[in-house]
Amino acid sequence: MNLLPLPAFQDNYIWIIEDKDSSDIWAVDPGSAKVVIEYCAQHEKNLVGILITHHHNDHTGGVAKLKEQTNCLVYGPKHLKHLVTHPIKEGDEIAVFTRVFSVLETPGHTLDHLCYFSDQATPILFSGDTLFKGGCGRIMEGTPKQMLAAMEKLSALPDNTLVYCTHEYTLANYRFALSLEPDNTDLIESHLASTLLREQNKPTLPSNLDLEKKTNPFLRSHNPSLKTQAAQQLKEEVATNSVESFSQVRRAKDTFS
Ligand code: ZN
Ligand code: FE
């Protein structure tokens, strides 16, 4: 199978999963129906399934129309009764062409947030708005404790996992990450590579977990100098427990300019 990003709105990507042996495709978080319909028309593809990570409109706005037009399967959070044909929860498995994806509940950005992980060959993660390249989603419904637990859950996946997130936020994320770790050589290198990609209008994604663990401040809030920097930016005392340290890094990003 083949994965490709369809840009939508300002900075969203709708990930398309193509089958090797047929014209069938799946779409992840189709916030726009038009983008997917035009892609299908241009490339003679047939939408057969949708994965939803969470309820926000930029991830679900196209689902109703796509379902109506194609009769496709829709997997997603169970409270989205009007949209999903298959409500899912932690540990459920979904067959997508030759792969099986398991459902990981990662509340924090929203309470309903799900990630999709497939462990065959090169592992793949659809991380929605939970984990970004160099960043994480804002805590809009959950708590810092939940978001840190989500970060730890994703960190435990294999290092070679390819990370497909839903937004092109990399360069803004790296500006903040570099303010905390100006001497992190992996970060400096990845910032340079990502800058070159954006100059050519190319996606900086997918990322991979090994790189994220070396560069993403939200997977590194235990790092002594990083958490000290975050506290300094907030003009607060350095936190003494892991949840508070994570919360300081998140709040420092929220107010970073
Ligand atoms: Zn969101
Ligand atoms: Fe989003």
Side-chain angles (χ1 to χ4, degrees):
M1 79 193 214
N2 182 37
L3 294 177
L4 62 111
L6 301 183
F9 314 120
Q10 274 289 97
D11 48 35
N12 281 67
Y13 291 127
I14 300 169
W15 288 100
I16 297 295
I17 311 171
E18 294 187 331
D19 187 18
K20 279 236 167 353
D21 307 316
S22 75
S23 56
D24 290 351
I25 63 166
W26 283 60
V28 183
D29 284 348
S32 161
K34 185 168 169 269
V35 168
V36 177
I37 290 166
E38 284 178 1
Y39 178 79
C40 288
Q42 258 176 31
H43 300 269
E44 299 185 336
K45 298 289 185 186
N46 187 19
L47 182 71
V48 296
I50 288 173
L51 302 176
I52 298 174
T53 62
H54 66 293
H55 68 86
H56 284 159
N57 200 51
D58 62 314
H59 301 250
T60 57
V63 174
K65 188 166 183 190
L66 290 169
K67 188 169 81 163
E68 186 190 297
Q69 288 205 358
T70 66
N71 224 357
C72 62
L73 308 172
V74 183
Y75 290 82
K78 50 186 176 293
H79 72 105
L80 299 176
K81 292 187 182 70
H82 54 299
L83 294 179
V84 302
T85 59
H86 292 70
I88 46 176
K89 58 176 188 326
E90 176 78 23
D92 285 351
E93 295 191 329
I94 303 160
V96 179
F97 305 128
T98 54
R99 279 198 182 243
V100 175
F101 284 86
S102 43
V103 177
L104 303 173
E105 293 179 355
T106 55
H109 174 65
T110 59
L111 290 176
D112 66 352
H113 201 293
L114 307 173
C115 294
Y116 298 92
F117 175 66
S118 165
D119 202 6
Q120 293 148 275
T122 304
I124 290 174
L125 176 73
F126 290 112
S127 63
D129 284 0
T130 292
L131 184 66
F132 295 127
K133 186 170 179 178
C136 77
R138 276 177 191 265
I139 301 174
M140 297 178 80
E141 295 175 6
T143 62
K145 188 178 176 188
Q146 285 177 314
M147 198 60 162
L148 176 59
M151 295 297 110
E152 287 170 347
K153 192 171 188 171
L154 300 184
S155 284
L157 300 175
D159 275 350
N160 64 339
T161 301
L162 296 177
V163 180
Y164 295 83
C165 33
T166 318
H167 289 274
E168 181 58 67
Y169 288 160
T170 308
L171 294 187
N173 288 339
Y174 279 170
R175 278 204 309 120
F176 172 68
L178 283 163
S179 79
L180 299 181
E181 292 193 287
D183 302 324
N184 179 332
T185 51
D186 293 303
L187 181 56
I188 292 165
E189 264 175 44
S190 187
H191 176 241
L192 190 65
S194 297
T195 302
L196 292 174
L197 286 168
R198 293 311 294 148
E199 280 171 4
Q200 301 165 62
N201 210 18
K202 289 182 184 159
T204 61
L205 304 174
S207 187
N208 66 77
L209 260 187
D210 180 49
L211 177 67
E212 292 310 306
K213 287 194 216 171
K214 290 173 177 163
T215 56
N216 189 321
F218 300 97
L219 302 182
R220 299 170 60 74
S221 58
H222 53 273
N223 178 290
S225 68
L226 186 153
K227 66 184 180 191
T228 304
Q229 275 299 323
Q232 270 178 18
Q233 287 186 10
L234 292 167
K235 301 189 170 60
E236 292 178 7
E237 299 278 305
V238 182
T240 52
N241 70 70
S242 59
V243 173
E244 251 317 297
S245 288
F246 178 79
S247 169
Q248 283 187 326
V249 176
R250 185 57 258 180
R251 285 184 291 114
K253 172 71 162 67
D254 292 341
T255 54
F256 185 76
S257 57

